Amino acid sequence: MDNHLVIAVGAAFGILAIILGAFGAHALKKVLSAEKLASFEVGVRYQTYSALFLLVLGYHANLALGAIRWAFYLVTIGTILFSFSIYLLSLSEYLKKSFKFLGPITPLGGLLMIIGWGCLLCSAL
């Protein structure tokens, strides 16, 4: 793995966060309840944080360090589990689909992101 992969994933997360944020602010505002829209926006916000995290990691970190590689993997997987489960849960009523099975996935994704940040902290210390 090299820094370019980390930067590419961060950039992809960033692009998608902007697209989904605009989609939520314009298209979903008309079809989702305020509560569901707020939840959707949490997913976008945390995806944005992860995009920035990965960009900083890719530009400045030594990926030869195990803790840095783990930070990349955990934040990437955690973001996918956290944000994308929130997106689907927020859209469940509109899509007329039950995504209740994703309920436990959201906190697992959050936990992975926290551990990923912890790996960065450990590598800094």
Side-chain angles (χ1 to χ4, degrees):
M1 174 175 54
D2 68 356
N3 293 59
H4 293 81
L5 174 64
V6 178
I7 294 167
V9 172
F13 276 1
I15 291 167
L16 193 55
I18 292 168
I19 291 168
L20 290 171
F23 180 65
H26 299 287
L28 295 180
K29 189 175 189 179
K30 299 171 186 168
V31 298
L32 294 184
S33 68
E35 179 184 336
K36 294 289 185 183
L37 186 59
S39 193
F40 189 90
E41 290 170 350
V42 168
V44 171
R45 185 173 342 127
Y46 278 82
Q47 184 175 333
T48 303
Y49 297 154
S50 294
L52 295 172
F53 174 94
L54 293 173
L55 290 172
V56 169
L57 200 67
Y59 278 110
H60 297 290
N62 178 359
L63 295 173
L65 298 173
I68 296 293
R69 282 195 314 276
W70 275 106
F72 165 71
Y73 293 130
L74 291 167
V75 168
T76 300
I77 294 167
T79 301
I80 292 167
L81 294 177
F82 181 83
S83 290
F84 288 84
S85 66
I86 288 178
Y87 300 147
L88 289 173
L89 288 165
S90 297
L91 292 168
S92 63
E93 288 177 21
Y94 177 73
L95 297 174
K96 295 178 179 38
K97 300 275 186 192
S98 176
F99 295 111
K100 288 184 181 180
F101 68 93
L102 292 175
I105 300 298
T106 306
L108 175 62
L111 178 62
L112 293 178
M113 288 190 291
I114 291 167
I115 296 169
W117 278 89
C119 287
L120 180 62
L121 176 62
C122 287
S123 73
L125 298 175

